[in-house]
Amino acid sequence: MLRAVLKLCCGITYPHLRSMAGLQRAALAAFGQEITHSQSRGQMALPAWSPLRWTESETAALADEDVFYLKQGVAALNEALKIVESEDGWKLETAEKNGDVIYSKVLTGNRKVFRLETELNASPEELHDILFFRVEEMHEWNPSIRRIKVLKHVGRNTMVTHEVSSETTGNLIGQRDFLSVRHSSKRESRVYLGGAATRLESLPPQPGFVRAEDGPTCIILQPLQDRPDHSRFIWLLNMDVKGWLPQSLVNKALPRAQADFTKHLRRRLAAQNSENTVLGRCG
């Protein structure tokens, strides 16, 4: 708690909803045409992948409950990657001047999912650290999140988290909580983060919250060919917000939440880069 926030809820971490400022139509149209042309020239092809599997050595020392979460995390990532890999049915939703492009697709059952593509000024390893290993710090730089707590670790690459969204101005959906399994995997230079809603007997739905469900969702982090310290960021946002809300409102709010998440993430990266520069000078 994410080709499409954390959620992380990356699980992966998932951001929740803020303002819905409009985009300039002329810029959208022109940018959308360029994206379409780029796709037709094959410039936006997804990285190749093969289904992830767990091994006997990975599960031998785990309790049955932990094996359940490991398998659920791997399955969620695989299913999300299948959705991202499919080229059929994607339509352009928005194209921001900062390079964020969001597509949407309707799945079986009328669930609409969103895929954000952009470039970020950080390596896949840096983003992996921020979005997965330091997920509990996400509220410090993303005001859409009130808190994220890791409830269980399953090895180094799988965890169960509880996330609560903030009650912020412009949050059209309202406060939600999420119980999610998150899983990460690295293939060569690429990092994959996946997640989905899960269950935990010790943490049933909480009074006063609507428990939303993520997933399957994923984030793909791939270094740019000419700038390995920068990343191509692809985020599949697949969320059932639950509650009695018009689907039209939800379908407008979710891509806005994605754009807000990358805005806050860029600020976090800029602050980190500035701090590293100062430390480098002092050293």
Side-chain angles (χ1 to χ4, degrees):
M1 276 108 335
L2 130 161
R3 306 192 202 191
V5 349
L6 291 173
K7 348 7 279 313
L8 324 141
C9 206
C10 20
I12 293 184
T13 285
Y14 306 102
H16 304 287
L17 311 171
R18 299 172 62 79
S19 62
M20 293 177 59
L23 297 170
Q24 295 181 359
R25 303 300 178 187
L28 254 180
F31 202 84
Q33 289 178 350
E34 178 59 27
I35 293 298
T36 300
H37 294 159
S38 296
Q39 285 184 312
S40 66
R41 295 192 297 265
Q43 294 181 3
M44 301 187 72
L46 283 167
W49 67 281
S50 58
L52 306 172
R53 296 180 176 85
W54 56 86
T55 65
E56 290 186 7
S57 61
E58 289 177 301
T59 61
L62 297 178
D64 289 345
E65 183 183 50
D66 289 346
V67 172
F68 167 79
Y69 292 122
L70 173 61
K71 291 184 177 181
Q72 188 182 33
V74 171
L77 179 53
N78 282 334
E79 186 61 30
L81 289 172
K82 288 180 183 178
I83 297 171
V84 169
E85 184 187 47
S86 172
E87 294 295 333
D88 297 330
W90 292 104
K91 297 180 179 180
L92 179 67
E93 283 277 332
T94 65
E96 304 274 6
K97 291 182 178 180
N98 63 4
D100 291 359
V101 183
I102 300 176
Y103 302 90
S104 66
K105 179 177 183 175
V106 178
L107 303 181
T108 302
N110 206 35
R111 170 79 69 87
K112 196 171 188 179
V113 297
F114 301 89
R115 188 188 79 224
L116 179 144
E117 298 183 5
T118 195
E119 293 180 3
L120 294 174
N121 185 14
S123 68
E125 290 76 18
E126 291 175 298
L127 292 169
H128 188 194
D129 182 57
I130 292 171
L131 298 176
F132 190 81
F133 294 117
R134 295 164 65 184
V135 67
E136 289 188 325
E137 300 175 13
M138 195 171 290
H139 69 282
E140 297 176 4
W141 53 267
N142 185 353
S144 298
I145 295 174
R146 180 177 172 185
R147 67 175 179 270
I148 297 179
K149 178 68 175 177
V150 177
L151 305 178
K152 175 183 282 290
H153 286 279
V154 181
R156 177 172 171 78
N157 297 315
T158 306
M159 64 179 75
V160 177
T161 63
H162 181 235
E163 175 183 342
V164 178
S165 64
S166 296
E167 291 184 293
T168 55
T169 302
N171 185 341
L172 300 176
I173 289 179
Q175 198 169 29
R176 295 289 192 271
D177 81 330
F178 300 79
L179 186 63
S180 305
V181 60
R182 302 168 186 253
H183 179 76
S184 73
S185 178
K186 186 171 183 180
R187 294 291 185 87
E188 298 177 348
S189 61
R190 303 184 192 107
V191 174
Y192 301 89
L193 308 176
T198 191
R199 56 180 173 81
L200 191 65
E201 291 185 4
S202 61
L203 191 67
Q206 304 295 292
F209 291 99
V210 174
R211 176 155 293 177
E213 294 184 354
D214 287 318
T217 185
C218 71
I219 289 175
I220 302 172
L221 307 171
Q222 181 180 14
L224 300 186
Q225 192 168 23
D226 56 339
R227 301 191 67 182
D229 58 336
H230 287 56
S231 298
R232 184 181 176 201
F233 178 89
I234 302 171
W235 174 21
L236 175 73
L237 177 59
N238 180 4
M239 181 187 295
D240 184 351
V241 302
K242 302 296 184 179
W244 301 98
L245 291 171
Q247 194 59 44
S248 59
L249 183 150
V250 174
N251 289 342
K252 289 180 180 179
L254 290 180
R256 186 68 256 164
Q258 285 187 294
D260 285 344
F261 180 81
T262 56
K263 176 182 69 177
H264 297 308
L265 180 55
R266 282 190 173 95
R267 289 177 178 173
R268 168 69 176 83
L269 294 173
Q272 179 174 286
N273 291 337
S274 177
E275 180 180 339
N276 290 340
T277 298
V278 171
L279 290 176
R281 289 174 181 172
C282 293

